[in-house]
Amino acid sequence: MASTSGEKVAAVIVAAGRGSRAGAAGVPKQFRPVGGETMLRRTLTAFTGLGLIQTVIHADDGDLYVQAADGFALLPPVTGGATRQASVLAGLEALAAHAPDFVLVHDAARPFASAALIARAIEAAQETGAAIPGLPVTDTIKSIDHRGLVGETLARDTLRAVQTPQAFAFAPLLEAHRRAAREGRTDFTDDAAIAEWAGMQVVVFPGETGNIKITNSEDFMRAEATDLSALGDIRTGTGIDVHAFSVGDHVFLGGVRIPHSETLRGHSDADVGLHALTDALLGALADGDIGSHFPPTDEQWRGASSDRFLKFAVDAVTARGGRIAHLDLTIVCEAPKIGPHRDAMREAIARIAGIELNRVAVKATTSERLGFTGRGEGIAAYATATIRLPWSDTCITK
Ligand code: MG
């Protein structure tokens, strides 16, 4: 994505808004998840090919930012201003020390910008000095007065709905922003408007219909739906595990330590629930089983917390570009009683899997005193995992 001419291309990612329209409960929208990842993280992923990425955040969002930006090579974030315009200027000023040739200004609230769109933006800026993505308008647009009365019907073929990233030669855009601030002009809603005001010629290049701006709760739902429809390869896996009782005073079940008159014998902590869930996920991935990834002959797994096994399978789903849709666990035993610990187990499993609590079920049954579970010789667990993988994943043979 870097320019072929050796020119330095930077990005300003504007993530300083409060996002109250998205109906967020306390968390600004750019830090809310869309398709399992925060909006800002998705946006950063899209721009990761650029060497210089300057984020602009709100002073209150430091902790949320650290999480969202974990693992990315970014310039230290700067604090935004009272308006989007002031925030962009803060980002540009911070970038000035690095003297980029071109800059892309992008809203964190557009997390679906593609690599192709970003490449187009860079190319257009290199050709013209100021370029913005735009889409033809399909609705008929009318201007109205303050009473809602139609003034005129605008000629649709001359209109474009404009998006970000907007791309500019760096020095003239910085100068235009500085001049606007000096002259008290704070009413610009995008950077192209400032460039136009400063006398730059701005060219429109083709935007992307998928590059939506997430503003309200409806946008969030639409984004989720778009994201899920790309993960249309739905797979189900099952897992079964059994461990025998031996002398002890507690068991681990579903990630929870439960005091009991016996313990479960095993190489690891013998958490049958997490083992069954791990196998269910590996089954859905058609990727071996817990024994093939964590051989009992391997000393490093002795006494291991089974969180690690489940986390391994969860990460394997993520690595394939997938998401966990649902985990369902049934525990079969006469004792201990599962009911009092059910919610703690669901919470532990949801935390390890990184999914919502309403996507985790824990059920329990006795076997009516029949069989080894009925005789109290051990505990059995049965799990089902439903995952969604990208369609392209069907091309990968594992
Ligand atoms: Mg086991």
Side-chain angles (χ1 to χ4, degrees), residues 56-375:
V56 186
I57 63 170
H58 190 275
D60 294 346
D61 295 342
D63 292 345
L64 291 166
Y65 172 79
V66 167
Q67 269 186 355
D70 183 42
F72 288 102
L74 309 171
L75 297 170
V78 292
T79 304
T83 60
R84 182 187 182 280
Q85 186 183 331
S87 293
V88 173
L89 177 55
L92 294 173
E93 292 288 5
L95 272 178
H98 303 276
D101 298 295
F102 295 94
V103 64
L104 274 55
V105 183
H106 187 68
D107 293 323
R110 290 187 190 270
F112 299 113
S114 73
L117 179 69
I118 293 165
R120 258 197 325 270
I122 295 170
E123 202 176 306
Q126 285 170 331
E127 268 169 31
T128 67
I132 60 177
L135 290 175
V137 173
T138 50
D139 293 327
T140 296
I141 307 283
K142 296 178 189 292
S143 67
I144 55 166
D145 66 13
H146 66 281
R147 294 164 300 172
L149 284 179
V150 171
E152 90 183 274
T153 299
L154 303 169
R156 196 163 60 184
D157 55 353
T158 68
L159 297 172
R160 292 293 179 271
V162 164
Q163 310 177 328
T164 68
Q166 300 191 348
F168 306 89
F170 179 77
L173 182 70
L174 174 58
E175 187 40 45
H177 260 276
R178 282 177 175 166
R179 203 178 113 206
R182 267 199 314 271
E183 297 185 16
R185 290 292 306 268
T186 56
D187 50 336
F188 295 110
T189 53
D190 74 346
D191 302 285
I194 296 172
E196 292 152 30
W197 170 78
M200 292 170 80
Q201 280 212 317
V202 181
V203 171
V204 176
F205 63 92
E208 273 176 352
T209 47
N211 181 26
I212 58 168
K213 184 173 186 178
I214 298 185
T215 303
N216 52 40
S217 319
E218 212 172 275
D219 299 331
F220 262 98
M221 285 190 288
R222 197 155 10 118
E224 281 285 336
T226 307
D227 199 65
L228 280 181
S229 66
L231 299 177
D233 188 358
I234 300 173
R235 300 186 182 194
T236 304
T238 61
I240 299 176
D241 195 34
V242 170
H243 281 264
F245 281 123
S246 72
V247 179
D249 61 5
H250 69 273
V251 293
F252 278 103
L253 281 177
V256 175
R257 187 185 192 277
I258 301 172
H260 189 54
S261 53
E262 293 174 289
T263 194
L264 289 172
R265 193 167 58 223
H267 187 63
S268 63
D269 66 7
D271 188 327
V272 282
L274 296 194
H275 293 184
L277 285 165
T278 302
D279 259 356
L281 283 173
L282 293 173
L285 288 168
D287 186 11
D289 60 21
I290 195 169
S292 59
H293 292 285
F294 303 97
T297 49
D298 191 334
E299 273 308 303
Q300 66 170 314
W301 310 120
R302 179 171 294 284
S305 165
S306 297
D307 294 29
R308 295 168 63 182
F309 305 146
L310 182 56
K311 185 67 172 47
F312 171 86
V314 169
D315 289 345
V317 175
T318 309
R320 296 264 287 268
R323 287 175 66 184
I324 299 170
H326 196 75
L327 295 175
D328 182 21
L329 174 65
T330 303
I331 296 169
V332 185
C333 60
E334 300 295 325
K337 283 208 178 315
I338 302 302
H341 307 284
R342 184 203 308 271
D343 286 339
M345 289 183 197
R346 291 179 64 215
E347 277 163 27
I349 293 162
R351 195 177 57 244
I352 299 165
I355 58 178
E356 300 95 327
L357 193 58
N358 64 15
R359 294 178 182 277
V360 178
V362 172
K363 312 188 304 299
T365 183
T366 69
S367 53
E368 297 288 336
R369 305 216 161 269
L370 297 170
F372 69 90
T373 50
R375 292 188 297 272

